[in-house]
Amino acid sequence: MNRKISEKIRYVGVNDHHKVIFEGLWPLPFGVSYNSYLVIDDKIALIDTAEADFSNEYLSNIRKQIGNRPIDYLVVNHMEPDHSSLLGVIREIYPDIRIVTNAKAVPMIGGYYGVTDNIHVVKEGDTLSLGNSTLAFYMAPMVHWPETMVTYFVEEKTLFSGDAFGTFGAVDGGIADTDARLCGWLDKSENCFAEFKDEMTRYYSNIVGKYGQTVQAALKKLSGLEIKRICSTHGPVWENHVADVVAYYDKLSRYEAERGVCIAYASMYGNTAQAAKSLAAELAKRGVKYSLHNLCTENVSYAYRDAFKYDTIAIGAPTYNNDIFPPAYNFMYGLCARLVKNRRFFAFGSFTWAGASVRLLNEMAKKQDMELISEGISFPQGYTPEKCNMAAVAELISKQ
């Protein structure tokens, strides 16, 4: 891997192909990267660290770039442990290093790592000179933790963006978007942004999705900067696709979506599953994009991704204890917690003696100001096409 991003910026992060679940929740079929960077001038700044399991590889990456030179500053943009957990190790190796961060991060540094001294607190717009290089700092609270900030390398118009603009997926082959690939060979004619787009959507929807309003505020603030390169903490360094990435983050944080249907269902004995598959078949006949997610067997990560991707959400759930079957309830609760809006909504599901799930799902959707396509389909006992006229539902979806 070429770790030289520019004459002054070096990549010292690591790829993780061992972890299968991120944050104890989200699958990593393509791995994940923990990105960290050096800015090298008369003085040296290290931008964030990496996950603790990779300390030997990480420290080796640093030494290969600067040898025995000391690191003068450690910039902490974000305190989440996948980026800060080597802070104490760095302090032991470079005892004179000065930590540069904002006031909200200071108690977190003390709480996680017991470090309370040699910390330089920066505020909005403050700068730090490394010689002929200038770092400027901008606060980005709740993107997606309260202490989050970003660092701007003024002379190279480079934004070290923390988790913003990040993606799941290790960056095999190279860190820059000219070389990075998600899985397998990336032909030079292929579009790296297109290849990583689904994993960016999944990362955003799973982790950042609730914070659309604060992402919008950060984008507005950063719009005054000329950005030619984005160095996030996960995924490729964006150089050729900066405009694409910023525009897509703007779209996601506005909860805008393309035409299509995210069908997510949970079924006890297969009747609600049959209804979900019938809806999928009818949508396919009409050329409507859709995805189909079994919430009982599939990690909910992918359904969240497609709920952000498509403008229509269809949830199937049987009635269970006069309530919504738990896997479907948990998914719907997650959508509400992520403040998903600007969506059309359709609920369906079976019941045996008292139907409640469709009504309750509709109530949750209404509270999010989702537009109900209809009052839904709540059908008794076993599935039949006559009880569930999914052709009519698909027709209504395709014409709206």
Side-chain angles (χ1 to χ4, degrees):
M1 177 188 290
N2 181 13
R3 295 181 175 272
K4 185 177 178 180
I5 297 172
S6 73
E7 287 300 321
K8 293 186 176 181
I9 303 174
R10 307 298 166 86
Y11 177 74
V12 291
V14 296
N15 281 319
D16 186 350
H17 284 289
H18 302 293
K19 190 179 278 88
V20 296
I21 296 290
F22 189 77
E23 294 185 337
L25 289 169
W26 316 118
L28 294 173
F30 307 109
V32 68
S33 66
Y34 310 114
N35 298 343
S36 175
Y37 308 89
L38 290 168
V39 180
I40 304 171
D41 205 311
D42 296 339
K43 294 182 180 292
I44 296 176
L46 176 63
I47 313 292
D48 295 308
T49 67
E51 215 277 342
D53 291 348
F54 295 85
S55 59
N56 290 338
E57 180 181 350
Y58 178 67
L59 294 171
S60 174
N61 291 342
I62 291 174
R63 292 189 187 101
K64 287 176 182 177
Q65 298 302 320
I66 61 172
N68 293 321
R69 282 190 64 182
I71 299 175
D72 300 280
Y73 302 104
L74 169 58
V75 177
V76 178
N77 282 326
H78 180 33
M79 272 299 299
E80 208 162 1
D82 56 327
H83 307 300
S84 70
S85 58
L86 289 175
L87 186 152
V89 173
I90 291 294
R91 276 274 297 230
E92 289 180 7
I93 296 173
Y94 302 98
D96 296 325
I97 197 169
R98 197 168 193 193
I99 297 170
V100 179
T101 194
N102 62 82
K104 289 182 179 178
V106 172
M108 297 183 187
I109 293 172
Y112 272 115
Y113 310 113
V115 174
T116 58
D117 64 319
N118 210 8
I119 298 176
H120 175 59
V121 176
V122 294
K123 303 183 297 297
E124 181 76 21
D126 282 355
T127 60
L128 177 68
S129 175
L130 302 180
N132 295 310
S133 303
T134 308
L135 302 181
F137 306 100
Y138 299 93
M139 304 304 116
M142 299 317 301
V143 186
H144 55 116
W145 278 22
E147 88 304 346
T148 301
M149 70 179 192
V150 299
T151 300
Y152 182 64
F153 183 0
V154 176
E155 288 77 12
E156 295 203 12
K157 299 177 173 59
T158 295
L159 183 70
F160 298 98
S161 62
D163 279 347
F165 310 113
T167 83
F168 289 131
V171 284
D172 296 318
I175 180 63
D177 58 7
T178 51
D179 303 307
R181 61 181 188 268
L182 186 61
C183 183
W185 174 253
L186 176 64
D187 189 275
K188 292 298 182 182
S189 64
E190 293 182 53
N191 185 322
C192 178
F193 172 64
E195 187 183 22
F196 274 88
K197 189 175 181 181
D198 264 2
E199 287 298 272
M200 176 178 279
T201 308
R202 195 163 66 87
Y203 183 88
Y204 182 91
S205 66
N206 292 185
I207 296 172
V208 188
K210 178 178 180 177
Y211 303 105
Q213 186 173 353
T214 50
V215 171
Q216 280 289 304
L219 289 173
K220 182 177 180 180
K221 177 187 293 187
L222 298 175
S223 66
L225 302 176
E226 183 181 359
I227 300 173
K228 292 189 174 181
R229 181 189 294 123
I230 296 175
C231 297
S232 79
T233 49
H234 296 294
V237 168
W238 301 108
E239 294 180 320
N240 293 334
H241 299 287
V242 169
D244 294 328
V245 167
V246 172
Y248 192 55
Y249 237 66
D250 180 50
K251 179 179 179 179
L252 288 170
S253 58
R254 292 178 187 274
Y255 298 95
E256 295 178 358
E258 64 182 270
R259 178 54 58 92
V261 185
C262 171
I263 307 171
Y265 71 92
S267 190
M268 295 172 65
Y269 298 110
N271 293 294
T272 299
Q274 285 183 272
K277 293 170 185 176
S278 175
L279 175 58
E282 293 296 339
L283 291 170
K285 289 178 185 178
R286 291 160 178 77
V288 178
K289 289 182 181 179
Y290 72 89
S291 61
L292 188 64
H293 303 281
N294 184 341
L295 298 172
C296 293
T297 60
E298 178 188 298
N299 189 292
V300 75
S301 172
Y302 301 97
Y304 286 144
R305 176 197 66 195
D306 291 344
F308 274 74
K309 183 176 180 179
Y310 293 132
D311 67 354
T312 302
I313 300 169
I315 300 183
T319 296
Y320 185 83
N321 287 340
N322 205 33
D323 209 327
I324 303 166
F325 189 42
Y329 172 81
N330 291 339
F331 173 63
M332 188 66 191
Y333 177 85
L335 292 181
C336 295
R338 286 164 174 76
L339 307 180
V340 174
K341 57 185 178 180
N342 303 329
R343 294 295 184 272
R344 300 181 299 164
F345 185 82
F346 173 71
F348 61 97
S350 66
F351 66 93
T352 298
W353 66 88
S357 62
V358 169
R359 172 178 56 82
L360 294 172
L361 284 166
N362 284 341
E363 288 174 3
M364 294 178 77
K366 287 177 182 177
K367 288 180 180 178
Q368 293 300 115
D369 292 324
M370 295 185 188
E371 176 190 348
L372 299 189
I373 290 172
S374 74
E375 288 305 310
I377 295 177
S378 181
F379 61 95
Q381 293 87 47
Y383 165 84
T384 67
E386 292 73 27
K387 292 179 184 178
C388 301
N389 186 358
M390 291 302 185
V393 176
E395 190 66 20
L396 189 59
I397 290 173
S398 67
K399 289 185 177 180
Q400 284 188 344

